[in-house]
């Protein structure tokens, strides 16, 4: 019975592996679980999320992000002003000592502009984060849907002439 339970547990862990959190570090900055949502075919942008924790005694700033996946990447903040939703680029993201910035909770995201391909659930892609003091660090974004999210729709067969 113990072997069956152990085998079942091992199988469950293997199935969960793509969604297990992954961490990276640059100096005193901890980068927690970078992830992105799947995209429909030919999407002009993709979004990315993560947490950044400054466990050091000095403030730092995320000043740049890049990825071979896209033409460029920017940090954006979503806001609603007077009932109108907007997204604005953030020029340098401050990271005060002892704080955590949770992109999703704080209405932030990385905007991967001009991705070279569709992102599919379970895939991974690299990116480089550059911090003012901690320097550059290579990270890996995991493509995953949230539990409450449906698969992206494929509209490639709609419209147009054949």
């Amino acid at each position: 019975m113990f072997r069956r339970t152990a085998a079942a547990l091992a199988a469950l862990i293997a199935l969960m592996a793509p969604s297990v959190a992954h961490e990276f570090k640059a100096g005193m900055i901890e980068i927690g679980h970078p992830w992105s949502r799947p995209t429909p075919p030919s999407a002009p942008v993709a979004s990315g999320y993560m947490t950044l924790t400054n466990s050091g005694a000095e403030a730092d700033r995320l000043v740049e992000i890049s990825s071979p996946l896209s033409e460029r990447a920017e940090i954006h903040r979503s806001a609603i002003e007077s009932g109108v939703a907007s997204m604005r680029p953030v020029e340098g993201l401050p990271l005060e000592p002892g704080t955590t910035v949770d992109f999703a909770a704080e209405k932030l995201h990385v905007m991967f502009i001009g991705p070279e391909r569709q992102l599919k659930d379970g895939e991974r892609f690299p990116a480089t984060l550059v911090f003012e003091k901690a320097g550059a660090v290579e990270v890996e974004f995991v493509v995953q849907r949230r539990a409450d999210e449906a698969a992206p729709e494929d509209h490639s067969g709609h419209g147009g002439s054949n």
Side-chain angles (χ1 to χ4, degrees):
M1 177 139 146
F2 175 73
R3 286 185 186 182
R4 279 192 208 152
T5 304
L9 182 58
L12 179 62
I13 290 170
L15 289 172
M16 291 174 50
S19 65
V20 171
H22 57 291
E23 314 297 320
F24 302 88
K25 193 163 183 168
M28 299 307 290
I29 306 297
E30 299 165 15
I31 301 105
H33 192 62
W35 66 281
S36 181
R37 289 188 170 104
T39 59
S42 303
V45 296
S47 60
Y49 305 88
M50 64 191 129
T51 59
L52 301 174
T53 301
N54 184 349
S55 58
E58 289 187 64
D60 205 339
R61 288 170 25 105
L62 176 61
V63 294
E64 183 181 342
I65 184 165
S66 62
S67 174
L69 169 79
S70 61
E71 294 171 13
R72 69 181 196 277
E74 300 174 351
I75 302 165
H76 286 197
R77 182 180 304 274
S78 300
I80 297 178
E81 297 173 18
S82 303
V84 178
S86 66
M87 280 187 286
R88 293 204 168 88
V90 174
E91 297 299 323
L93 182 64
L95 302 166
E96 296 301 320
T99 62
T100 296
V101 174
D102 181 338
F103 272 56
E106 296 186 33
K107 306 289 187 216
L108 291 164
H109 60 276
V110 178
M111 179 79 69
F112 294 102
I113 301 167
E116 66 181 10
R117 61 182 168 76
Q118 177 183 10
L119 298 179
K120 296 181 180 179
D121 196 31
E123 293 181 337
R124 295 172 182 255
F125 64 89
T128 302
L129 307 181
V130 180
F131 296 91
E132 193 170 72
K133 294 179 182 164
V137 61
E138 298 290 321
V139 301
E140 187 173 61
F141 280 77
V142 174
V143 180
Q144 65 184 56
R145 285 191 297 273
R146 292 188 330 217
D148 62 346
E149 200 170 40
E153 293 184 38
D154 180 354
H155 294 283
S156 60
H158 294 250
S161 58
N162 292 343

